[in-house]
Amino acid sequence: MDTLKKEYVIIRSARRSLSLSVNGAGEVVVRAPKAASRAQIERFVAGHADWIARRRAEIAAARPDLSDGAYLTVCGRRCRIAPGARASLRKDVLILPEEGREQALIALLKREARRRMGELVAWYASEYGFRYRKLRITSARGRWGSCSTQGDLSFSFRAALLDDAQMRYLAVHELCHTRHMDHGKAFWDEVRSILPDCMRTRAQLREKGALMLFL
C-alpha cells in the first residue's frame, strides 16, 4: 500500500482493472493492478474528479450528528437527541449518555433493528407464506441484508437508521431470496407483487449507502 500526493491510498493486487472508493474520512482509495503505473492511476483519478467530489458530499451529508438537540431517524421515527444516563427511546426522544455515546447508540440500534426487522419479517412471512430459518442482526457494512441458502436472514444493525418503507423493503427483499437466490425476473416479479413501489425504495436505499461508513 502506498499514497499518491497524500490524498489517495493505493492498494495493489492481482486484479485486472482500476477502481475507486471513498471512505468515511473522505479519503480516496484506489485499487489497482500490480502493473499499473503512477501515470495511469493519476489519469484515472483525475478522470473521476467529479464523482469523487459528489461522493465526498454524500458522505459528509450522511454522517450522523450525535450532539444534543440534533435529530436522528430510528426505525422510521425522527428523534431529537437528549442527554441521559442510558441509551433509550422515549416517544420521539433519543436518550444518549454523554460518555461513550456512539457505542451506546450502536447497542440501541442493534436492539431496535432486531425488534423491528423481526416484526416485519414475521408478518410478511405469515402473510405471504415465506419460510425462513432464523434472523440475525450483524455489523456488516457492505450490504443492508442477505439470505443464505439455508434460509437464514441477516440484516445490518444500520437498518434501524432507515424509514419504515425502506425497512419493509429489506424484509421483503430477503424473504423473496428464500425462493429465488438470484436477482432474476422471477425474483423481482415477486418483490413487486408485494411492494409495487419497490424500485423507488431501492433507489432511496442506494442513496443512503453512505450510512454504512459510519458507526
Side-chain angles (χ1 to χ4, degrees), residues 53-75:
R54 289 196 304 271
R55 186 62 176 158
R56 281 174 166 165
E58 290 171 357
I59 290 170
R63 185 184 298 275
D65 181 356
L66 303 186
S67 61
D68 292 346
Y71 285 84
L72 190 68
T73 295
V74 180
C75 294

Side-chain angles (χ1 to χ4, degrees), residues 10-115:
I10 304 172
I11 301 175
R12 296 181 183 273
S13 67
R15 61 185 296 125
R16 295 184 177 182
S17 60
L18 291 159
S19 72
L20 285 176
S21 62
V22 181
N23 63 27
E27 183 180 53
V28 176
V29 178
V30 183
R31 287 177 171 78
K34 291 180 179 178
S37 69
R38 288 293 187 103
Q40 285 177 302
I41 294 171
E42 288 178 359
R43 286 195 299 271
F44 181 74
V45 172
H48 290 81
D50 290 344
W51 179 87
I52 292 170
R54 289 196 304 271
R55 186 62 176 158
R56 281 174 166 165
E58 290 171 357
I59 290 170
R63 185 184 298 275
D65 181 356
L66 303 186
S67 61
D68 292 346
Y71 285 84
L72 190 68
T73 295
V74 180
C75 294
R77 294 158 57 184
R78 187 170 184 265
C79 301
R80 180 177 56 83
I81 297 174
R86 298 180 63 184
S88 62
L89 283 173
R90 301 176 188 174
K91 293 185 178 180
D92 293 328
V93 178
L94 171 59
I95 308 297
L96 293 177
E98 296 284 1
E99 299 294 327
R101 178 162 285 196
E102 184 172 297
Q103 291 305 310
L105 174 62
I106 290 172
L108 181 144
L109 291 176
K110 287 180 178 179
R111 294 194 300 271
E112 290 299 308
R114 179 173 298 280
R115 176 190 64 79

